Amino acid sequence: MSEAKSFDYLVVGAGFAGSVVAERLARVSNKRVLVVDRRSHIGGNAYDHHNDDGLLIHEYGPHIFHTNSQRVFDYLSQFTKWRPYEHRVLASVDGMLVPIPINRTTINALYGLELSSDDEVEAFYQSRAEPVERSTTSEDVVVGRVGRDLYEKFFRGYTRKQWGLDPSELDAQVTARVPARTNTDDRYFTDTYQAMPLHGYTAMFERMLDHPNIEIMRNTDHRDIEGLIPYDEMIFTGPIDEFFDHCYGTLPYRSLEFAHETLDTPEHQRVAVINHPNDKLYTRVTEFKHLTGQVHPKTAIVYEYPRAEGDPYYPIPRRECTELYAEYKLLADATPGVHFVGRLATYRYYNMDQVVAQSLTLFDKIRGVKAERESRVS
Ligand code: FAD
Ligand code: UDP
């Protein structure tokens, strides 16, 4: 690339946030866009690829697409066909494998009961729930709904392992992601759209970014090109505290270590994910073939070991962190020409579809502002 070449936008990060905004800017607004990512690939944490044995794996842990937003689903459908897939998870508790989210089957198996209606299960939960005035923490949410025994069996150990914090130290939204059900629905999600990109996430990202106005530089930190390649505005999707040289201190992100393995057997476990709330050092084991539908004589699995240090994967939903983020957000708002979007840059525990929605909204905003400016000039 010649140094003289200039771009309308520099997009930092080729994950969902960066790729959606880059795609819209190029295709809809005919802007020249440079996308840089410090990793060797596009797709961010949703990146998937075939391993040495030819099995399609998710490098950064299991990514299951689900959304209630028709807008998001229609948008992504321009770049991929889908494989219908409903996610199911079992938890290893008291020597048994039982459905999580907790449902009627879970309760009957764990307590040797034969509850047969929603009302009976609701009454069971209510008999054990410890009423809390306001569910402010991740402990309150669970204990207030199903009581302490189920909380300890399914949530306390898992959460302490995953976050290095007790549920009482985390905002309610963390464990509220996993409901307790009275019926026998054993799906992890109940969203309207639940599917996996037919040929994988990376193939979808390749199609999104395949446009003559988009150039991609992999293995490139945005600081590597600062002052070398001219651009008008930046879209930043990395950690916001890093952008500002941690001037207010480090904003904590939780990390994971992924231990991938290939096993010489066609199937390792009967569902895609098995959670380990109280045993093991890892939180969950994923077998990718369930997600991808791939037929292969071998199978690939991944163990997730939570870590304090390492790549930033999860913003930490608790007051101290949100307050520190708010300081960075003020700085971001006062930084002209840079737009912050995505899970790391807006410090939100967002799923993929929420990041897509947030990115489409940012694009609408940029386009609206630009259109207004241009109409004032003309
Ligand atoms: P990222 O995917 O993190 O992309 C940011 C990119 O920016 C990265 O590639 C990074 O290398 C690059 N970058 C950062 N700083 C710089 C810099 N200075 N210069 C150059 N490049 C930089 N969501 C779901 O909907 N369903 C799931 O099942 C699901 N499972 C998940 C499982 C795990 C283990 C994790 C960690 C997340 C999961 N998610 C899931 C969430 C999903 O990964 C995110 O919502 C989504 O990937 C966020 O996209 P993003 O573009 O905001 O960030
Ligand atoms: N969680 C738990 N036990 C489980 C599953 C989830 O305690 O078996 C809690 C835990 O704190 C976890 C949070 O609920 O971090 C959200 O779970 P989810 O499966 O949505 O996590 P993610 O897929 O984002 O890692």
Side-chain angles (χ1 to χ4, degrees):
M1 188 184 306
S2 87
E3 280 190 17
K5 186 158 184 183
S6 72
F7 293 87
D8 299 309
Y9 285 90
L10 170 66
V11 174
V12 180
F16 268 100
S19 299
V20 169
V21 180
E23 186 278 332
R24 292 287 82 187
L25 286 169
R27 204 159 273 132
V28 180
S29 301
N30 197 28
K31 300 294 181 193
R32 288 160 303 150
V33 184
L34 174 63
V35 180
V36 299
D37 201 299
R38 58 188 171 199
R39 286 173 169 163
S40 60
H41 57 74
I42 58 172
N45 288 336
Y47 169 69
D48 56 12
H49 67 105
H50 289 91
N51 70 8
D52 291 346
D53 288 288
L55 285 151
L56 183 59
I57 64 166
H58 298 183
E59 184 69 27
Y60 306 99
H63 278 70
I64 296 103
F65 184 79
H66 57 100
T67 190
N68 284 317
S69 164
Q70 185 175 348
R71 184 186 188 207
V72 167
F73 191 71
D74 288 349
Y75 170 74
L76 292 176
S77 300
Q78 299 174 79
F79 313 106
T80 188
K81 293 198 169 71
W82 299 96
R83 166 179 190 262
Y85 170 74
E86 289 184 323
H87 192 46
R88 287 182 168 76
V89 180
L90 294 171
S92 168
V93 170
D94 293 354
M96 283 180 255
L97 289 179
V98 291
I100 173 89
I102 297 168
N103 68 7
R104 196 189 301 163
T105 314
T106 316
I107 299 303
N108 284 337
L110 283 181
Y111 297 102
L113 297 171
E114 291 182 5
L115 306 179
S116 58
S117 69
D118 292 66
D119 287 349
E120 283 176 301
V121 181
E122 188 56 46
F124 177 89
Y125 290 153
Q126 280 179 21
S127 72
R128 294 176 171 239
E130 289 177 16
V132 276
E133 235 169 65
R134 253 180 358 117
S135 278
T136 52
T137 74
S138 269
E139 176 181 327
D140 300 339
V141 172
V142 183
V143 173
R145 169 88 177 113
V146 299
R148 206 156 283 278
D149 194 40
L150 286 165
Y151 165 72
E152 272 163 19
K153 285 188 194 318
F154 288 89
F155 287 91
R156 188 158 182 263
Y158 188 110
T159 301
R160 289 174 76 105
K161 208 172 3 177
Q162 169 73 9
W163 300 93
L165 293 166
D166 191 78
S168 60
E169 299 171 287
L170 283 163
D171 289 354
Q173 55 154 299
V174 176
T175 52
R177 288 166 64 90
V178 185
R181 303 208 178 108
T182 53
N183 58 20
T184 54
D185 188 350
D186 62 348
R187 295 170 307 159
Y188 207 67
F189 308 111
T190 51
D191 301 53
T192 313
Y193 305 96
Q194 306 190 35
M196 298 293 289
L198 186 60
H199 301 293
Y201 288 98
T202 305
M204 181 180 78
F205 281 99
E206 276 163 4
R207 294 197 59 189
M208 286 171 83
L209 295 172
D210 180 18
H211 191 279
N213 287 359
I214 300 180
E215 286 198 30
I216 305 170
M217 291 174 74
R218 297 167 176 81
N219 302 304
T220 307
D221 193 285
H222 82 283
R223 296 199 194 270
D224 299 345
I225 58 155
E226 221 160 54
L228 297 176
I229 302 179
Y231 58 86
D232 289 344
E233 294 197 6
M234 185 194 290
I235 311 291
F236 187 80
T237 77
I240 187 168
D241 58 333
E242 202 185 300
F243 182 88
F244 292 111
D245 296 320
H246 307 105
C247 63
Y248 297 138
T250 303
L251 197 47
Y253 294 86
R254 190 72 173 159
S255 192
L256 290 171
E257 190 179 316
F258 301 100
H260 287 274
E261 278 183 20
T262 298
L263 307 176
D264 203 358
T265 175
E267 184 173 299
H268 174 65
Q269 57 195 34
R270 63 177 203 266
V271 290
V273 172
I274 296 191
N275 285 359
H276 290 271
N278 298 313
D279 53 351
K280 317 292 184 193
L281 290 173
Y282 45 84
T283 49
R284 56 187 179 189
V285 188
T286 298
E287 183 175 22
F288 292 107
K289 283 166 93 178
H290 296 281
L291 309 180
T292 61
Q294 191 174 5
V295 178
H296 195 287
K298 295 186 184 182
T299 197
I301 59 172
V302 67
Y303 299 89
E304 291 173 53
Y305 293 90
R307 296 279 183 259
E309 305 295 328
D311 278 358
Y313 292 123
Y314 291 82
I316 303 180
R318 63 190 307 228
R319 209 183 62 224
E320 293 88 315
C321 304
T322 317
E323 283 172 2
L324 181 54
Y325 165 68
E327 291 187 45
Y328 280 112
K329 167 84 167 69
L330 284 177
L331 206 50
D333 290 343
T335 306
V338 186
H339 307 272
F340 295 81
V341 63
R343 177 150 146 148
L344 305 173
T346 62
Y347 207 70
R348 292 204 169 88
Y349 188 2
Y350 269 175
N351 294 326
M352 295 180 282
D353 65 318
Q354 295 170 300
V355 170
V356 173
Q358 188 192 37
S359 308
L360 291 173
T361 301
L362 171 64
F363 170 69
D364 289 343
K365 197 178 118 205
I366 292 173
R367 192 158 64 139
V369 169
K370 287 259 142 63
E372 199 187 307
R373 232 184 264 158
E374 277 156 22
S375 72
R376 254 190 264 137
V377 172
S378 62

